[in-house]
Amino acid sequence: MPHEQVYGAGIWHFATYVDRYATDGYGEPRSILDAIDLAGKVRDLSVVDLNYPFFGGDISNAQVDEALERNKLKVIGITPEIYTRQFMKGSFTNPDPGVREVAHDLITDAVGVVRHFGADYVKLWPGQDGWDYPFQVDHGTLWKASLDGVGRLASENPDVKFVIEYKPREPRVHMSFDSMPRTLLGIEKIGLPNVGILLDFGHALFGGESPADSAQLAIDYNRLFGMDVNDNFRQWDDDLVAGTVHPIELFEFFYTLEKNNWHGVWQLDQFPFREDSVDAADMAIDFLKAVQRGLGKLDVQALQEAQANHDAMGALRLAQQALFTSY
């Protein structure tokens, strides 16, 4: 049987959402302390990834410590908000060097928060870094700024891991770190051991990738530092409940992790706009437990033989039988 698994979630899973239509939000406003208390109601949830600065008011590390302790939760990562309005033209790639320095300082503050909570990493999601129109930017300058910004932080803080979460688009039409190969190429160019990738299953789907293939590529270069799971219909980053749309591809993704002895946290990155957030997390974790049971039942030798012959039907029969009898 596979090892005992740890489950986590981005704290935004328990926040209040807005979009460009329901600008008044899909619920009453919540602070990060409220969100932590909701996360504490989820069965089998052990760790959370926290936005920084903490949302919902002037909230201290000590207050967050108290909320985490009463809910028996720990922190896996800190996500600095380098994608808000002040960074509308980019964080690492902003044309204004002063704004680039603001981003650097914010992330440096987040490094201190990582150390305070004993977290695993700073997660970098530079959603505003990129371009929207042809001829808008000089691509060489933009890419160099992305790598220089990450590399500077990593070199200044060699004791802290930095993970880059790539995504094809949104909010920028083209994001600088838009795919597994491009992000991996950039990290190898930076050349520092504390820079890696956080692979979001839904972002890989959205980008037309096979998440299992993307995971293998990152593992081959020893750069898979973290992962998130959710689901979508491949046309947008819907952040649906994990396993609701692509269960077989999710099973292959986790098979790839298990095959390579990658034993990190299985973390949720979901946005339950209209659903109860605790119920959505429970449902996802219940499915992930079925995935784990399925991995234990999978006839790996027979699967490897089918794969050696590129026998799609044979391999899928084995995968379906193991997964769909495990829920």
Side-chain angles (χ1 to χ4, degrees):
M1 286 292 292
H3 67 102
E4 184 176 351
Q5 187 55 53
V6 175
Y7 302 100
I11 200 63
W12 48 89
H13 182 287
F14 307 97
T16 302
Y17 308 111
V18 299
D19 60 26
R20 61 186 180 139
Y21 300 103
T23 56
D24 54 344
Y26 285 85
E28 295 301 315
R30 293 173 184 158
S31 71
I32 196 168
L33 304 179
D34 299 326
I36 292 171
D37 285 337
L38 277 176
K41 297 179 180 180
V42 177
R43 300 189 307 271
D44 303 304
L45 194 69
S46 300
V47 299
V48 287
D49 182 333
L50 302 180
N51 302 93
Y52 182 79
F54 304 134
F55 57 86
D58 186 13
I59 296 169
S60 67
N61 288 346
Q63 289 174 289
V64 173
D65 275 325
E66 292 173 3
L68 292 167
E69 184 175 358
R70 67 174 172 261
N71 289 287
K72 298 181 173 60
L73 295 169
K74 294 184 178 180
V75 179
I76 184 174
I78 299 295
T79 301
E81 295 190 341
I82 54 173
Y83 40 79
T84 54
R85 183 172 62 183
Q86 68 181 133
F87 304 113
M88 62 187 295
K89 288 191 175 182
S91 50
F92 298 126
T93 64
N94 198 290
D96 184 339
V99 176
R100 295 199 298 271
E101 200 63 24
V102 169
H104 177 271
D105 291 346
L106 175 59
I107 298 167
T108 300
D109 289 345
V111 169
V113 180
V114 163
R115 293 186 178 120
H116 173 85
F117 289 111
D120 288 358
Y121 51 70
V122 174
K123 186 175 78 178
L124 302 175
W125 184 67
Q128 300 284 8
D129 285 17
W131 70 97
D132 306 308
Y133 292 94
F135 283 99
Q136 184 175 9
V137 300
D138 179 275
H139 293 289
T141 300
L142 196 83
W143 186 232
K144 183 177 184 301
S146 290
L147 304 188
D148 288 349
V150 175
R152 178 186 171 192
L153 287 157
S155 63
E156 290 173 350
N157 304 279
D159 60 313
V160 172
K161 291 180 179 178
F162 294 84
V163 300
I164 301 171
E165 181 178 5
Y166 69 87
K167 182 179 175 180
R169 60 179 298 177
E170 192 207 14
R172 295 312 289 256
V173 175
H174 297 275
M175 284 179 58
S176 292
F177 292 107
D178 67 352
S179 63
M180 171 59 74
R182 182 178 175 89
T183 305
L184 190 57
L185 186 67
I187 290 173
E188 291 301 300
K189 179 72 171 178
I190 292 169
L192 295 173
N194 58 326
V195 183
I197 288 175
L198 186 137
L199 201 171
D200 183 298
F201 180 85
H203 292 179
L205 290 176
F206 181 26
E209 300 175 7
S210 157
D213 176 61
S214 296
Q216 186 65 62
L217 188 60
I219 289 169
D220 286 344
Y221 284 85
N222 297 311
R223 297 293 187 178
L224 186 60
F225 289 5
M227 50 80 70
D228 285 338
V229 291
N230 45 46
D231 218 328
N232 63 51
F233 287 92
R234 271 198 158 91
Q235 297 171 321
W236 195 249
D237 184 31
D238 302 308
D239 285 321
L240 303 176
V241 172
T244 53
V245 185
H246 293 96
I248 284 293
E249 285 184 88
L250 190 66
F251 191 46
E252 184 191 24
F253 174 73
F254 282 115
Y255 168 72
T256 302
L257 299 183
E258 187 67 29
K259 177 170 68 78
N260 287 278
N261 295 311
W262 191 94
H263 294 152
V265 171
W266 291 9
Q267 183 153 276
L268 307 178
D269 182 5
Q270 304 177 157
F271 279 66
F273 280 82
R274 300 166 184 85
E275 293 72 40
D276 179 87
S277 59
V278 173
D279 184 49
D282 280 335
M283 181 175 177
I285 291 175
D286 284 346
F287 182 78
L288 297 184
K289 286 182 174 182
V291 166
Q292 190 180 29
R293 290 191 293 269
L295 292 174
K297 295 170 66 174
L298 185 62
D299 187 336
V300 174
Q301 182 176 349
L303 175 63
Q304 290 174 342
E305 291 174 359
Q307 290 180 331
N309 292 309
H310 295 194
D311 179 3
M313 298 301 100
L316 280 168
R317 283 191 185 95
L318 292 165
Q320 289 176 343
Q321 193 276 335
L323 176 60
F324 296 148
T325 61
S326 297
Y327 197 79

